[in-house]
Amino acid sequence: MTDFKGLSPEFLGGVRGKRVLVRSDLNVPLDDGRITDDGRIRASVPTIKALADAGARVVVTAHLGRPAGAPDPAYSLAPVAARLGELLDAPVAFATDTVGASAQETVAGLADGQVALLENVRFNAGETSKDDAERGAFADRLAALAGADGAFVSDGFGVVHRKQASVYDVAQRLPHAMGGLVAAEVEVLRRLTVDPARPYVVVLGGSKVSDKLGVIDNLLGKADKLLIGGGMVFTFLKAAGLEVGNSLLEEDQLDTVRTYQERAKELGVEIVLPTDIVVADSFGDESSARVVPAAGIPADSLGLDIGPESGAAFAAALADARTVFWNGPMGVFEQPAFAGGTRVVAAALAAHRGADVLTVVGGGDSAAAVRALGFDEAAFGHISTGGGASLEFLEGRELPGITVLEES
Ligand code: ADP
Ligand code: MG
């Protein structure tokens, strides 16, 4: 195991009066300028607060959504600055640009222990550019905000799988440290891949099998049981010879899914599929929701959740697990009639605590589902803040934003 640089007492001891550029993941869902889930802001607070308390002049950089490399008011971080200030219980100075006049002025105005947030880093095309020189030029300007004796802290776990200026290139330009959030995420994910406590149960759902192929591929060789629900389950059911009506189906993945079934058999890994399904006449039609056997999905209906019998079977499989990784809702949890399966799995995990038990929820929608259904986040061992990043880690891929911190 790697020794993490984290925010060590040595690092914190050396930041007083210095400017520390922090890459956080503040990419929260917004509805008409209102933050609908502030989970990622909350998760970013401890590192920012630790630096401010240590006397650093903290300059936070982050992105929101996918603006087209130019300023776009719909993706402004201004509401996030306000919320961050509330959570820190301290004012957060907001720069209305990324590295321009406002950013320079804002950063220059910081006193020891104060915090500033720069406008959406993706308002500058250099952030995500595939051209090393263009990205590097932007990183130079970000690094310049920290100044000659400044430092960089990488704490945006949701973006560490991206080779982007504020994630990757700045780390090559400034003394750097891994933030507490990234360190915690990496440590937990390593426990899922290196010598996990057994039984190890993986629950997969969500919309598409094709999104999760790499994870299934890599975890099939590590888990004892794979419980499958969500939209992807219909490709598994179809591959097993069942009819799935109008349910989500990826025909082009049928062969791949069959090879998973074969490999699972060879490895002695059990793939558990639902035996009953909540179907409806059309997508999202709650009034026609009803439970049918998985082997009897009517041709003119579509499956939108796993049924109660399946939920009970999944919960039973989770009860004696010592390691659980859950990614992907079991159904269209956004609608109450199709939220039952997701609720049962979440409840089974929330009830399953113990010193020797590790339960991890990964995936943006899964984490949002847990919160939306009213579960206490503290009831889970770990809720990953980075959907794509945690999946890429579990696929066994190298994450550029982590590698660059460990390189030098
Ligand atoms: P995560 O972000 O946790 O990785 P995904 O993005 O893969 O999860 O999938 C989440 C979406 O999957 C949710 O919006 C949910 O409505 C959808 N979903 C779950 N079950 C089904 C289903 N049976 N049919 C269609 N969509 C589904
Ligand atoms: Mg998602």
Side-chain angles (χ1 to χ4, degrees):
M1 290 267 274
T2 322
D3 205 19
F4 297 115
K5 288 202 266 180
L7 284 182
S8 61
E10 293 77 19
F11 184 86
L12 288 174
V15 298
R16 179 164 298 278
K18 295 180 182 159
R19 287 186 293 218
V20 179
L21 184 72
V22 180
R23 177 52 157 112
S24 298
D25 176 8
L26 304 176
N27 189 24
V28 291
L30 284 182
D31 183 12
D32 227 351
R34 202 177 54 84
I35 297 164
T36 54
D37 179 5
D38 66 359
R40 284 179 167 159
I41 308 178
R42 287 178 183 281
S44 302
V45 163
T47 292
I48 295 170
K49 192 170 176 345
L51 288 163
D53 287 349
R57 303 173 177 202
V58 187
V59 182
V60 182
T61 175
H63 78 283
L64 183 75
R66 293 172 183 268
D72 179 342
Y75 295 106
S76 174
L77 279 172
V80 173
R83 184 69 187 128
L84 180 60
E86 285 169 16
L87 292 168
L88 284 168
D89 201 15
V92 170
F94 182 62
T96 56
D97 58 24
T98 57
V99 291
S102 174
Q104 288 168 28
E105 202 177 301
T106 305
V107 168
L110 287 179
D112 295 1
Q114 289 187 335
V115 178
L117 174 64
L118 306 178
E119 182 55 288
N120 193 336
V121 71
R122 291 190 187 168
F123 282 1
N124 191 306
E127 169 67 0
T128 59
S129 175
K130 296 283 175 248
D131 176 38
D132 289 351
E134 190 186 1
R135 230 178 39 244
F138 181 51
D140 284 341
R141 299 188 66 189
L142 280 170
L145 290 174
D149 63 353
F152 172 62
V153 170
S154 179
D155 205 39
F157 182 70
V159 287
V160 291
H161 58 316
R162 304 287 186 208
K163 195 173 178 179
Q164 296 176 344
S166 70
V167 179
Y168 179 83
D169 304 81
V170 284
Q172 295 182 318
R173 287 162 170 78
L174 290 169
H176 51 256
M178 195 182 272
L181 178 62
V182 170
E185 293 269 11
V186 169
E187 194 195 73
V188 166
L189 293 173
R190 289 220 163 111
R191 284 173 65 191
L192 293 180
T193 51
V194 182
D195 202 17
R198 298 188 179 281
Y200 179 8
V201 181
V202 172
V203 191
L204 290 176
S207 43
K208 288 154 87 191
V209 195
S210 47
D211 286 348
K212 312 281 164 86
L213 292 177
V215 179
I216 301 176
D217 228 17
N218 204 31
L219 293 186
L220 201 55
K222 301 192 190 329
D224 299 301
K225 261 184 207 177
L226 226 62
L227 316 180
I228 312 266
M232 70 161 71
V233 81
F234 301 100
T235 306
F236 278 81
L237 292 173
K238 180 85 178 177
L242 301 184
E243 289 311 322
V244 299
N246 297 323
S247 307
L248 203 64
L249 174 65
E250 288 175 274
E251 298 266 8
D252 55 343
Q253 302 300 338
L254 283 170
D255 284 339
T256 311
V257 165
R258 286 191 192 102
T259 66
Y260 291 150
Q261 297 282 18
E262 280 158 29
R263 261 181 62 207
K265 217 170 267 166
E266 283 162 24
L267 292 163
V269 175
E270 195 185 344
I271 295 187
V272 183
L273 299 179
T275 50
D276 60 347
I277 299 288
V278 180
V279 299
D281 293 341
S282 60
F283 190 87
D285 175 15
E286 294 192 276
S287 66
S288 64
R290 60 202 186 273
V291 179
V292 301
I297 298 176
D300 57 355
S301 72
L302 77 170
L304 295 172
D305 194 13
I306 60 169
E309 182 182 278
S310 312
F314 283 20
L318 290 166
D320 71 339
R322 288 178 62 210
T323 307
V324 180
F325 174 64
W326 174 28
N327 170 266
M330 295 291 98
V332 181
F333 73 93
E334 295 90 341
Q335 294 180 279
F338 313 114
T342 304
R343 189 187 303 279
V344 168
V345 167
L349 291 192
H352 194 35
R353 299 306 312 272
D356 62 340
V357 175
L358 174 65
T359 57
V360 180
V361 183
D365 290 292
S366 311
V370 162
R371 289 190 282 264
L373 295 176
F375 288 90
D376 179 4
E377 287 180 69
F380 300 86
H382 181 77
I383 299 186
S384 180
T385 53
S390 50
L391 292 183
E392 287 199 18
F393 188 101
L394 294 175
E395 285 171 21
R397 284 159 64 170
E398 188 181 293
L399 307 182
I402 300 290
T403 311
V404 74
L405 300 177
E406 289 171 340
E407 263 168 2
S408 48

